[in-house]
Amino acid sequence: MSISLPDYYFRVRENGAFVFRVNTENRQRPLELNQIAAINIKNGEVKPQGDYELTESDQAAIADWMAKRQGTLEARDIDDILRSVDHLNLTAHWAQTRATPEALEEVTDALLLAMHDLRSVLVRKKAERLG
């Protein structure tokens, strides 16, 4: 069985990833992952590991991964927001059909404050886009 491995492995972490070069040269030994850099996806910072100097191919692979990762994270954000819309609809249905007075008492203030805050932000942002 022949497996073609990528040249780089990106171990995702909260704010980015650790970048490893995959070393498959010696098939007699276990696979080696040599860390070459750390990426901060939020600010775009790439820090080489120790004294390692990133090659052009390293930099190109990292830039490509960062662009793809940003796209993935942006798509997840939109999906999360659309799920929130679903949850708001389900919450409205629950409040109208199944909620007990005690349950409504427990959640109403928190929901109203959160919805007011969200509405204020959305209205302000909409006005900025139109203006």
Side-chain angles (χ1 to χ4, degrees):
M1 181 167 131
S2 174
I3 298 175
S4 177
L5 294 172
D7 293 332
Y8 300 93
Y9 170 69
F10 295 83
R11 182 195 302 154
V12 175
R13 60 189 179 105
E14 187 173 330
N15 290 327
F18 293 119
V19 184
F20 296 86
R21 178 176 281 287
V22 179
N23 184 351
T24 59
E25 289 177 11
N26 187 348
R27 292 290 186 177
Q28 305 304 319
R29 293 192 339 223
L31 182 69
E32 288 182 25
L33 298 176
N34 301 315
Q35 186 176 350
I36 62 170
I39 299 170
N40 184 323
I41 200 80
K42 301 238 186 236
N43 65 14
E45 186 176 51
V46 177
K47 289 184 182 177
Q49 178 69 20
D51 293 335
Y52 185 82
E53 288 190 34
L54 297 172
T55 66
E56 285 184 28
S57 63
D58 295 339
Q59 292 173 11
I62 289 168
D64 182 56
W65 182 88
M66 289 176 73
K68 288 178 183 173
R69 183 67 179 170
Q70 282 287 32
T72 297
L73 294 174
E74 289 169 8
R76 285 182 185 170
D77 281 347
I78 296 300
D79 186 56
D80 286 346
I81 298 306
L82 293 173
R83 287 174 193 256
S84 293
V85 172
D86 288 348
H87 283 289
L88 283 170
N89 287 320
L90 292 170
T91 301
H93 183 69
W94 167 84
Q96 187 173 32
T97 62
R98 297 189 323 269
T100 65
E102 296 79 20
L104 284 172
E105 185 62 35
E106 186 175 335
V107 300
T108 296
D109 289 343
L111 277 169
L112 288 173
L113 287 169
M115 290 186 315
H116 174 75
D117 182 35
L118 176 60
R119 184 182 186 285
S120 297
V121 169
L122 292 175
V123 167
R124 184 177 68 246
K125 292 291 191 173
K126 180 90 173 189
E128 288 172 4
R129 288 193 312 272
L130 295 175

